[in-house]
């Protein structure tokens, strides 16, 4: 196949995880993905906070955080103290397909979250509602109004959708050990599976039809079956959890591996149709726990909207195609890196206001870099992004969509407190975006307001305490935490937050006591052991810190915080080669944390690799110009290279930063 422009097939597998994929790859169960990896690159893809699925997929598509793209919650406060459902009209910035559209490139967008009502493009847009409302155990329903662009396309592709009733027992038997018995018992899990499969098959059929031929430049297709099956089916994955009945486990233990095999079959057909001259990029927005980190009791497992305890911070990224380096390792990738990489590959300028990076390590060559300040929105085919433009039928369709995905709490949306709840969740998520972006003052401002309105909401109080601590209001943080911890039930997260305050106050023994209490009920969680390690680090008890971080990494070897802690421990033990290795691992998992770069620079400097250490300290300071230790490290590196003036400048900055911190502490002590 010959193409005149570089084109991209972006495939999303919601909730796909290397920890479940790799055993299947090793067993030969995923031949199409294996072939893709043989000629391509792979890596982990760090998610964002908060882990709200529509937010994450919109960040992938736009290359921007939620404070910029506006997708923050399923229900949003509307005019006149009313509420409205989240829709594509709430998105405030361009997605990849809009940018391509402005460059006269054809796009195919299929089943991507928050694309309803379907977007006007030079190509086609089949919104998620075309599939989500297409199937039930009772047969097909008409597609939602405005579910496709162009509108007349809905009629032409309607017969590509299938109903769950059309799936035979033999077909269901590929996924379920005893499908016939399950059907006879009217097993609700079988119904859930049948609906998810029907929607997935419908998505694939539409994708194959609309990506046929060469008249497209970008295709973005998302498969959400893993997300839809979610916690109930992951609880049945081996080994058996104590709260899963034997009969349920026997019936569904092989379902998720079978779903992965089915996705692999569909991927193979898509890749073959796209042709060898197409860049294939496979991503997931986050992973799912499939091991000992799954919730170990049913209350924790199923009590939260959105199944939050089941998700991991690392998704997947894999790519193959022209100019992709076979066997390349993609390191330190995050969701915000996908859009810049695709734009660069397609020879479209990357905007300066996109915080992500181009994943250059995956390629042997890329087009010359082009930059623009931001992408021009003036050429949009559809203007006036007013969410109130949803008509009543569209509004109801959007509400049905969010109710079906389980992202609403089940209460009537016209309840008296719905407006307040919608505004609270929107602003809370916005605060979490600020926390993730390390903007503690912005987070604190939002959380202080929310706390005034909802003083009994412990979740808000806990995060406000964290924001106060990060803005060095230690007394205010401790006051909040002590109020929350004074509770008849043991609350591990609160104990962990209190321990951080106690450690900052220098009371290490109290901090350890709080953490040991948290460990009693959260001993399988790496975060508890990581915080214990942090206390031992502060006490310079290197061996105890090593044991604590080792426990954390035994439970999750991709726990970035524990990797950073172990790097600091190795520095304290003067085991510099090991410090470099684990610091590099920490950067690979989360390259936006300055402390990991600092630890790497310090280890390199101690090992005599001065030039590289200087570069690493500079990277740290790009992430945090106020990192006093990095300034001191850079000063030492400059001294060793006889750059005396530069060394003096960095030492001066370090002293100023350290003096400011000391003065702030003295003022805090005086105010007490």
């Amino acid at each position: 196949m010959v193409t005149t422009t570089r084109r991209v097939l972006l495939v999303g597998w919601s909730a796909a995880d290397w920890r479940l994929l790799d055993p299947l790859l090793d067993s030969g169960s995923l031949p199409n993905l294996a072939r893709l990896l043989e000629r391509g690159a792979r890596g982990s893809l760090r998610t964002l906070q908060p882990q709200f699925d529509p937010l994450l997929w919109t960040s992938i598509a736009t290359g921007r955080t939620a404070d910029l793209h506006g997708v923050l919650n399923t229900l949003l406060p509307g005019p006149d103290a009313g509420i409205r459902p989240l829709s594509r009209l709430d998105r405030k910035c361009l997605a990849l397909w809009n940018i391509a559209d402005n460059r006269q490139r054809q796009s195919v967008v299929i089943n991507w979250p928050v694309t309803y009502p379907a977007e006007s493009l030079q190509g086609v847009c089949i919104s998620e509602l075309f599939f989500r409302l297409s199937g039930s155990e009772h047969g097909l329903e008409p597609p939602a109004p405005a579910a496709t662009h162009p509108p007349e396309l809905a009629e032409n592709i309607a017969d590509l959708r299938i109903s769950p009733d059309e799936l035979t027992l033999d077909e269901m038997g590929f996924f379920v050990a005893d499908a016939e018995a399950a059907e006879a018992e009217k097993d609700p899990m079988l119904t859930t599976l049948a609906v998810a499969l029907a929607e997935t098959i419908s998505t694939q059929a539409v994708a194959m039809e609309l990506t046929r031929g060469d008249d497209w430049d970008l295709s973005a297709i998302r498969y959400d079956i893993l997300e839809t099956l979610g916690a109930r089916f992951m609880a049945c994955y081996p080994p058996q959890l104590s709260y899963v009945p034997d009969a349920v486990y026997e019936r569904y233990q092989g379902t998720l591996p079978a779903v992965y095999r089915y996705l692999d079959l569909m991927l193979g057909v898509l890749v073959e149709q796209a042709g060898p001259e197409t860049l294939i990029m496979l991503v997931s927005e986050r992973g799912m726990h499939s091991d000992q980190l799954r919730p170990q009791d049913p209350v924790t497992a199923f009590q939260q909207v959105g199944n939050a305890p089941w998700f991991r911070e690392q998704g997947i990224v894999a790519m193959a195609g022209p100019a992709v380096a076979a066997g390349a390792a993609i390191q330190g990738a995050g969701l915000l890196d996908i859009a810049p990489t695709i734009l660069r590959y397609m020879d479209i300028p990357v905007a300066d206001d996109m915080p992500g990076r181009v994943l250059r390590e995956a390629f042997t060559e890329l087009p010359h870099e082009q930059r623009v300040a931001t992408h021009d929105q003036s050429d949009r085919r559809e203007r006036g992004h007013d969410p109130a433009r949803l008509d009543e039928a569209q509004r109801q369709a959007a509400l049905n969509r969010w109710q079906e995905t389980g992202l609403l709490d089940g209460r009537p949306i016209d309840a008296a407190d719905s407006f307040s709840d919608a505004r609270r969740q929107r602003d809370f998520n916005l605060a979490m975006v600020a926390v993730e972006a390390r903007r503690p003052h912005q987070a604190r401002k939002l959380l202080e307001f929310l706390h005034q309105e909802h003083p009994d909401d412990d979740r808000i109080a806990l995060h406000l305490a964290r924001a106060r601590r990060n803005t060095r209001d230690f007394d205010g943080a401790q006051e909040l935490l002590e109020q929350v911890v004074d509770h008849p039930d043991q609350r591990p997260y609160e104990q962990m937050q209190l321990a951080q305050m106690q450690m900052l106050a220098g009371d290490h023994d109290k901090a350890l006591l709080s953490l040991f209490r948290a460990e009693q009920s959260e001993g399988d969680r790496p975060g508890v052991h990581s915080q214990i390690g942090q206390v031992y680090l502060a006490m310079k008890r290197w061996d105890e810190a090593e044991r604590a971080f080792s426990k954390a990494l035994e439970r999750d070897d991709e726990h970035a915080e524990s990797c950073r802690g172990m790097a600091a421990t190795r520095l304290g033990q003067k085991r510099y080669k090991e410090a470099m290795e684990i610091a590099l691992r920490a950067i690979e998992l989360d390259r936006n944390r300055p402390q990991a770069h600092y630890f790497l620079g310090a280890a390199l400097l101690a090992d005599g690799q001065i030039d590289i250490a200087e570069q690493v300290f500079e990277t740290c300071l790009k992430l945090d110009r106020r990192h006093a230790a990095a300034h001191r490290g850079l000063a030492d590196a400059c001294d060793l290279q006889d750059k005396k003036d530069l060394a003096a400048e960095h030492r001066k900055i370090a002293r100023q930063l350290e003096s400011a911190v000391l003065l702030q502490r003295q003022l805090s002590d005086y105010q007490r």
Side-chain angles (χ1 to χ4, degrees), residues 192-193 196 224-234 255-256 259:
T192 298
L193 176 60
D224 57 1
I225 184 170
L226 296 169
E227 179 93 17
T228 301
L229 298 182
R232 292 287 174 185
F233 285 82
M234 186 59 82
T255 297
L256 286 180
V259 169

Side-chain angles (χ1 to χ4, degrees), residues 656-670:
Q656 290 172 342
L657 291 170
E658 290 162 351
S659 297
V661 171
L662 180 60
L663 178 60
Q664 199 167 25
R665 286 177 179 169
Q666 290 172 341
L667 287 171
S668 178
D669 290 341
Y670 176 76

Side-chain angles (χ1 to χ4, degrees), residues 503 506-512 532-542 544-545:
M503 186 173 73
D507 199 336
H508 299 132
D509 290 336
K510 278 189 177 180
L512 286 173
I532 291 172
Q534 295 292 343
V535 179
Y536 284 129
L537 271 181
M539 300 170 75
K540 297 185 178 181
R541 291 166 59 174
W542 312 120
E544 288 97 329

Side-chain angles (χ1 to χ4, degrees), residues 183-225:
E183 184 180 53
E185 297 169 14
K186 299 189 182 303
D187 186 341
M189 288 183 67
L190 186 72
T191 300
T192 298
L193 176 60
V195 172
L197 282 170
E199 292 170 347
T200 301
I201 294 167
S202 300
T203 301
Q204 177 73 358
V206 171
M208 294 302 298
E209 176 67 21
L210 298 181
T211 60
R212 199 185 310 278
D214 298 338
D215 57 346
W216 56 271
D217 301 291
L218 169 67
S219 286
I221 307 165
R222 176 192 179 239
Y223 299 84
D224 57 1
I225 184 170

Side-chain angles (χ1 to χ4, degrees), residues 57-96:
W57 285 104
T58 305
S59 286
I60 290 175
T62 62
R64 290 172 173 85
T65 50
D67 55 332
L68 297 177
H69 65 58
V71 175
L72 287 160
N73 194 35
T74 49
L75 294 179
L76 298 169
D80 303 322
I83 59 172
R84 67 176 192 274
L86 173 68
S87 78
R88 189 261 308 166
L89 300 177
D90 289 294
R91 201 184 71 228
K92 298 188 295 187
C93 63
L94 302 181
L96 283 166

Side-chain angles (χ1 to χ4, degrees), residues 2-8 105 214 216-217 277 345-346:
V2 178
T3 56
T4 57
T5 59
R6 293 186 172 216
R7 72 177 190 173
V8 177
R105 308 286 183 87
D214 298 338
W216 56 271
D217 301 291
E277 297 304 315
Y345 180 83
M346 295 180 69

